[in-house]
Amino acid sequence: MLHHIGTKTIETERLILRRFKEEDAKDMYNNWASDDEVTKYLSWPTHSNVEVSRKLLEMWIDKYISEEIYNWAIEVKENNSVVGSIALMNVDNNIESCEIGYCIGRAYWNKGLITEAFSALIKFAFKEVGFNRITGRHHVDNTASGRVIEKCGLKYEGTLRQVHKIKDGSIVDCKYYSILKEEYRG
Ligand SMILES: CC(C)(COP(=O)(O)OP(=O)(O)OC[C@H]1O[C@@H](n2cnc3c(N)ncnc32)[C@H](O)[C@@H]1OP(=O)(O)O)[C@@H](O)C(=O)NCCC(=O)NCCS
């Protein structure tokens, strides 16, 4: 059985993964949510102003009341900016599985930051919550996301056709990957 503990703070070499606060709205808007390149393959539309970010954060913060919500702000230790988000979503208590989702501002791409956060969450999910399976998936064209998933040790399982709707309304193919508790070496 899963041992849910909610969005606990996790520290890595360069990052603090922590709960979102209302004050993060400006960073969210400026660093990633207002950028069409960041949302290119995602289901949600680019935020048109900081109020959209603020409202979304209010909703997310209210949800922390549940210990089954795993939704972290990615704070960079170097400058204390919040630069992205990472979450364990679609928690299935029956088969003890979840899916990981993430995004980070363009100024912070290709520095290994999502790989660092993702690796820490794999450890958290298996060791602290007791998940048995973590799924990773990405739009077939989002090769950077695929590279992150592979670097984190997930195995490619296949491509599902027309399984995900992105912000422009098109329904696209996604590549699916997973890692199982029995494969995790720490
Ligand atoms: C995808 C994303 C999360 C990657 O985050 P990141 O912090 O830059 O990832 P990392 O630096 O840990 O690793 C990126 C890897 O992808 C590679 N990469 C970058 N752009 C690439 C491209 N166009 N094609 C192939 N590989 C690419 C990098 O070289 C790096 O691999 P390497 O370490 O072997 O050199 C980030 O680009 C992002 O937030 N994109 C927008 C939101 C999004 O797409 N989220 C994922 C939804 S599934």
Side-chain angles (χ1 to χ4, degrees):
M1 216 173 80
L2 294 176
H3 169 59
H4 287 299
I5 53 174
T7 308
K8 295 275 181 253
T9 299
I10 299 170
E11 207 175 319
T12 67
E13 194 189 334
R14 293 176 291 172
L15 305 171
I16 298 170
L17 308 178
R18 59 152 174 87
R19 290 183 177 201
F20 279 100
K21 303 173 194 166
E22 280 173 30
E23 310 87 270
D24 297 327
K26 260 192 182 164
D27 274 358
M28 179 185 217
Y29 180 72
N30 291 327
N31 288 338
W32 76 95
S34 61
D35 185 348
D36 282 330
E37 270 303 299
V38 169
T39 60
K40 185 169 174 190
Y41 300 116
L42 306 182
S43 54
W44 50 273
T46 307
H47 293 189
S48 52
N49 60 66
V50 70
E51 277 315 304
V52 178
S53 306
R54 207 181 309 281
K55 285 259 154 23
L56 180 64
L57 283 188
E58 267 173 29
M59 235 169 62
W60 283 1
I61 291 164
D62 283 349
K63 289 189 174 165
Y64 286 138
I65 194 157
S66 162
E67 302 236 292
E68 292 194 24
I69 290 294
Y70 298 100
N71 186 17
W72 288 266
I74 302 175
E75 181 178 323
V76 173
K77 284 182 189 172
E78 195 181 26
N79 58 11
N80 291 115
S81 290
V82 173
V83 300
S85 72
I86 188 159
L88 301 178
M89 318 168 308
N90 299 331
V91 169
D92 186 325
N93 285 300
N94 192 34
I95 59 161
E96 302 179 347
S97 79
C98 63
E99 183 182 320
I100 195 154
Y102 40 80
C103 55
I104 188 166
R106 219 187 318 171
Y108 295 87
W109 286 5
N110 298 325
K111 298 177 190 296
L113 292 177
I114 288 293
T115 301
E116 188 171 318
F118 192 153
S119 303
L121 285 201
I122 292 176
K123 182 176 179 194
F124 174 86
F126 287 142
K127 299 280 183 196
E128 309 245 353
V129 189
F131 281 107
N132 184 56
R133 173 191 159 96
I134 302 168
T135 303
R137 67 171 174 138
H138 66 85
H139 181 305
V140 283
D141 294 339
N142 193 354
T143 38
S145 184
R147 181 73 193 117
V148 168
I149 292 171
E150 278 171 357
K151 283 197 290 179
C152 290
L154 281 73
K155 284 190 184 150
Y156 175 66
E157 294 183 317
T159 298
L160 297 196
R161 298 179 303 156
Q162 301 190 5
V163 70
H164 176 63
K165 191 182 259 188
I166 58 172
K167 61 177 180 178
D168 68 3
S170 51
I171 301 174
V172 299
D173 300 352
C174 281
K175 291 188 171 185
Y176 277 74
Y177 306 73
S178 72
I179 182 168
L180 303 177
K181 194 196 288 184
E182 66 195 34
E183 294 165 342
Y184 178 64
R185 299 278 171 263

